[in-house]
Amino acid sequence: MVTTTARDSDLASALVQTMHRLQDLHAETSRPLGLTPQQAHLLCVLISGPLGMTELSRILSIERSSLTSMVDRLERRDLVARVASPTDRRACRIELTAAGKDLAHQCHDAVVDRIRDLTSELPAATRQTLTKALQSILAQ
Amino acid sequence: MVTTTARDSDLASALVQTMHRLQDLHAETSRPLGLTPQQAHLLCVLISGPLGMTELSRILSIERSSLTSMVDRLERRDLVARVASPTDRRACRIELTAAGKDLAHQCHDAVVDRIRDLTSELPAATRQTLTKALQSILAQ
DNA sequence: TATTGTTATACTCTATAACTATA
DNA sequence: TATAGTTATAGAGTATAACAATA
């Protein structure tokens, strides 16, 4: 039987290429805001609230020691602040400053806008299917 | 009208999160092979044939000067080779050595396997829709 | 003059290992 | 003893600017 059925590797390949495309897009939107993609990611993760170093390193998938220097650089620019934990004197919480919050939202909005452009030509039903499929992948 | 219609930002958010997930997965598959994700990307791009520095830098979205040092490191490990262009004495072609070709295929296969695991629970029709949607995004 | 690629430099990202302070 | 976070160190990724050689 010969059909136009997609192979597994077509989906894998499409996903990998999409990843690279989105990475580029992410870099292009961060840069004019004076941020590396990694810094933009960190700031955006903090939008939903302050986090400790250990939890933040887990979310960003980097070692705590790597995070220390990232936070140092952002703190020097007054985009984040280390706040002492009231309950654990070893720990601190990283939180966005007012300037950091503003920049984080700019990053977030810029990326969402760019992606909206990329996906705007898809039919609504396809967008729906795409969204649900990706969410189910992410839920694993 | 109140429905469960997904917002644009849900799709954008799902795409961004998928990007991060795939980045992690890519890093996890490259690392045991002794490669950074960027090195793995470079090797995989060369699977389809040798490329000049300028074209390779365009494909990887990095400056040529950044690429020079990446190629230096890979060449020192005998994974790629600089071959003089026969037609342009300024230019060179970067090509995979036998070891580089082997490693590139290992990288490629490892990523495809991991992604297949991620997507294996989706219905065939959804996989098809997903693949076509991503391909149409990439075609832009 | 324009293009190909490299060199020099500076900064960021990242991991590993060893460490301090607190729980 | 275990955990939170930092320091020290080394290597890799990246951009900018200036450069050499060739087209």
Side-chain angles (χ1 to χ4, degrees), chain A residues 7-17 19-20, chain B residues 22 25-31 33 35-37 39-48 96 99-117:
Chain A
R7 285 162 295 143
D8 272 10
S9 59
D10 289 336
L11 176 50
S13 167
L15 280 167
V16 169
Q17 288 182 65
M19 173 190 74
H20 289 305
Chain B
L22 292 178
L25 186 152
H26 194 222
E28 287 164 18
T29 54
S30 309
R31 191 185 232 292
L33 296 172
L35 297 171
T36 65
Q39 291 173 330
H41 190 190
L42 194 160
L43 295 185
C44 286
V45 163
L46 292 177
I47 286 179
S48 54
L96 294 171
K101 209 169 292 188
D102 185 56
L103 200 48
H105 282 289
Q106 285 185 54
C107 275
H108 180 269
D109 294 350
V111 170
V112 170
D113 280 356
R114 286 289 302 274
I115 294 182
R116 188 172 14 234
D117 290 347

Side-chain angles (χ1 to χ4, degrees), chain B residues 3-128:
Chain B
T3 65
T4 56
T5 301
R7 286 162 296 144
D8 272 10
S9 58
D10 290 335
L11 176 50
S13 167
L15 280 166
V16 169
Q17 288 182 64
T18 302
M19 173 190 75
H20 289 306
R21 170 71 70 93
L22 292 178
Q23 277 181 294
D24 290 351
L25 186 152
H26 194 222
E28 287 164 18
T29 54
S30 309
R31 191 185 232 292
L33 296 172
L35 297 171
T36 65
Q38 292 88 348
Q39 291 173 330
H41 190 190
L42 194 160
L43 295 185
C44 286
V45 163
L46 292 177
I47 286 179
S48 54
L51 291 170
M53 293 293 284
T54 299
E55 195 171 5
L56 193 48
S57 75
R58 192 185 51 73
I59 293 172
L60 299 177
S61 304
I62 58 175
E63 293 295 319
R64 277 174 305 166
S65 60
S66 306
L67 183 56
T68 294
S69 38
M70 284 195 68
V71 170
D72 286 345
R73 286 186 284 270
L74 292 170
E75 195 173 31
R76 258 181 254 131
R77 293 165 64 180
D78 282 311
L79 297 173
V80 303
R82 283 176 168 93
V83 179
S85 162
T87 60
D88 184 340
R89 280 169 39 197
R90 295 170 304 179
C92 64
R93 319 275 291 172
I94 312 303
E95 65 176 31
L96 294 171
T97 62
K101 209 169 292 188
D102 185 56
L103 200 48
H105 282 289
Q106 285 185 54
C107 275
H108 180 269
D109 294 350
V111 170
V112 170
D113 280 356
R114 286 289 302 274
I115 294 182
R116 188 172 14 234
D117 290 347
L118 265 188
T119 59
S120 62
E121 287 175 20
L122 295 174
T126 301
R127 281 216 298 278
Q128 188 99 353

Side-chain angles (χ1 to χ4, degrees), chain A residues 46-107:
Chain A
L46 292 178
I47 286 179
S48 54
L51 291 170
M53 293 293 285
T54 299
E55 196 171 5
L56 194 48
S57 76
R58 191 186 52 72
I59 293 171
L60 299 177
S61 303
I62 59 175
E63 293 296 320
R64 277 175 304 165
S65 61
S66 306
L67 183 57
T68 294
S69 39
M70 284 195 67
V71 170
D72 286 346
R73 287 185 284 271
L74 292 170
E75 195 173 31
R76 259 181 255 131
R77 292 166 64 181
D78 282 312
L79 296 173
V80 304
R82 283 176 168 92
V83 179
S85 162
T87 60
D88 184 339
R89 281 170 36 198
R90 295 170 303 179
C92 63
R93 318 276 290 173
I94 312 302
E95 66 176 29
L96 294 171
T97 62
K101 209 169 292 187
D102 185 56
L103 199 49
H105 282 290
Q106 286 184 53
C107 276

